[in-house]
Amino acid sequence: MPENPKYEILLKEIDLIHDTIKNFDDIMFKTKNFGLAIWGGSLYLIVEHLTNNPSKPLLVLFSSIIPLVFWLIHARWQVHLFSIGGRSKVISTFINSNDFQEWRAGSGKVTFPVYDVVGWIYTNKSEHGKNYDPAYLTKPASLMEAIFYKDAKYFFGPMILVSIVLGLILLKTPDVVKGIT
């Protein structure tokens, strides 16, 4: 039997998945850096340049919103990264299964769609997923999983905490506000 013509497309999809993961990692890294710069600059401007302003402690407290917004942006990209990683796992499972050799040989018994870099067809939400083996379906990632995934909570969490603690210190001790200005 001739080799499945979709085999070359599957190989290209694997390359695209790796490139996409690299691009998303870069976007998420830049999001963190941009968030840190905006937050740090905001704190600097509030503390250093608002002299004798009674709303300075509240502004410092409100600066905790900046890392929160960037954390949510980061989490949204992380959800997309989970989808792409899920697709990579699906391909790995398929390649290591007995079905792969039959599919590659072009037998027609095994249906495995290709060129689905972000893995939309395999999510349980997709109507197309009903036509395929449940072993190749992935669970869509939730935003909460992405928010508390690995390092983001250790990066954005302390930024929020610093803003809140510094704001509360400035609220409780008005003399400190006069000393900083």
Side-chain angles (χ1 to χ4, degrees):
M1 287 202 150
E3 188 171 281
N4 191 336
K6 291 182 177 181
Y7 178 68
E8 292 296 322
I9 297 171
L10 182 65
L11 294 177
K12 182 63 178 167
E13 182 179 352
I14 292 169
D15 290 339
L16 285 172
I17 286 171
H18 292 291
D19 288 343
T20 305
I21 288 172
K22 191 184 322 175
N23 289 339
F24 277 8
D25 279 341
D26 185 51
I27 289 169
M28 291 164 56
F29 178 74
K30 289 177 181 175
T31 300
K32 284 180 181 178
N33 287 340
F34 195 57
L36 180 63
I38 299 265
W39 172 76
S42 298
L43 278 180
Y44 171 75
L45 289 174
I46 293 167
V47 171
E48 189 66 28
H49 293 290
L50 290 179
T51 55
N52 297 325
N53 190 332
S55 64
K56 183 187 284 191
L58 292 175
L59 291 173
V60 171
L61 278 171
F62 288 141
S63 71
S64 65
I65 294 171
I66 296 168
L68 181 64
V69 167
F70 280 96
W71 194 355
L72 291 173
I73 293 168
H74 180 275
R76 192 67 200 132
W77 285 110
Q78 187 68 49
V79 167
H80 292 303
L81 194 58
F82 283 155
S83 294
I84 294 166
R87 174 63 177 161
S88 182
K89 288 176 190 174
V90 165
I91 291 173
S92 176
T93 302
F94 178 66
I95 288 173
N96 290 301
S97 72
N98 295 331
D99 293 341
F100 179 68
Q101 290 305 324
E102 287 182 42
W103 179 81
R104 188 170 176 197
S107 69
K109 294 177 187 173
V110 178
T111 56
F112 185 82
V114 294
Y115 204 71
D116 184 26
V117 177
V118 295
W120 294 118
I121 205 166
Y122 292 101
T123 62
N124 292 328
K125 291 181 180 179
S126 172
E127 290 297 316
H128 301 291
K130 294 176 182 173
N131 301 326
Y132 304 105
D133 186 346
Y136 303 127
L137 296 176
T138 59
K139 178 181 81 77
S142 73
L143 188 61
M144 288 308 287
E145 287 174 315
I147 287 173
F148 294 107
Y149 184 72
K150 289 194 179 183
D151 66 330
K153 61 186 169 206
Y154 301 119
F155 185 81
F156 294 108
M159 291 166 57
I160 294 169
L161 190 63
V162 165
S163 287
I164 292 171
V165 168
L166 184 58
L168 291 175
I169 288 171
L170 292 175
L171 273 174
K172 298 284 184 195
T173 55
D175 296 335
V176 173
V177 175
K178 291 177 186 170
I180 291 176
T181 59

